[in-house]
Amino acid sequence: MSTDVRYPIGRYSAPQTVSSTERRQMVDRIRALPVRLRASVHGLTEAQLDTPYRDGGWKVREVVHHIGDSHLNALVRFKLGLTEVAPTVRPYDENLWLQTGDAINADFDEALDFVEAMHRRFTAVVSSIDDEASLRTIIHPESGEQTLAQLLAHYAWHGDHHVAHITALRERNGW
């Protein structure tokens, strides 16, 4: 664990290679994310949901919306990577996505339901990635070429990273 509240589980570091066993473990982490996310926010009040996880950071409810937005984009990136040759994927402005009507006005439970429903599809797609498919690549204009195995590693870390933002905030505040 890191003492930097921005990176409570440490910064992401892309692996050079990912074994079949590691891939299965990453898929399991992605599959488990909705349950872990729901548990991390269970019992929080509206005021607590509107508390930033750090100074200048997103509110807890925004972290939940961000996970939905980010992993929706991940689902599309994986599907493109599985169906096209080295596709260039689109970046998006995560802060602007948090300013859209769904993030601002949606019922919080609906945001959790969305993550849960979308993750069923996400898990189905990443579960299908075998050794050969794991070597397929996507190109991200900001971070460059990466294999689907590396992309899988990133999103397994990403979910853990944001759940840790919430659980670390709860620990610091005694919630």
Side-chain angles (χ1 to χ4, degrees), residues 31-132:
R31 179 182 291 111
L33 177 68
V35 171
R36 292 181 53 242
L37 181 61
R38 208 175 273 277
S40 77
V41 298
H42 180 74
L44 292 180
T45 66
E46 290 296 313
Q48 290 167 331
L49 291 172
D50 286 329
T51 302
Y53 77 89
R54 67 172 174 87
D55 288 340
W58 290 328
K59 299 171 186 174
V60 170
R61 74 174 67 248
E62 290 173 325
V63 170
V64 172
H65 284 286
H66 165 69
I67 291 170
D69 291 343
S70 176
H71 292 198
L72 174 65
N73 276 278
L75 173 61
V76 171
R77 290 170 180 175
F78 276 101
K79 289 181 75 108
L80 288 170
L82 288 166
T83 61
E84 298 180 15
V85 176
T88 298
V89 299
R90 286 190 44 136
Y92 71 101
D93 186 323
E94 57 194 25
N95 289 309
L96 287 177
W97 278 47
L98 289 174
Q99 295 174 24
T100 60
D102 60 324
I104 294 170
N105 301 318
D107 177 80
F108 185 69
D109 286 331
E110 289 177 6
L112 291 168
D113 292 343
F114 173 75
V115 170
E116 189 175 295
M118 190 269 307
H119 261 249
R120 285 192 294 272
R121 298 245 345 237
F122 189 19
T123 300
V125 169
V126 296
S127 294
S128 73
I129 297 173
D130 59 17
D131 290 341
E132 183 179 341

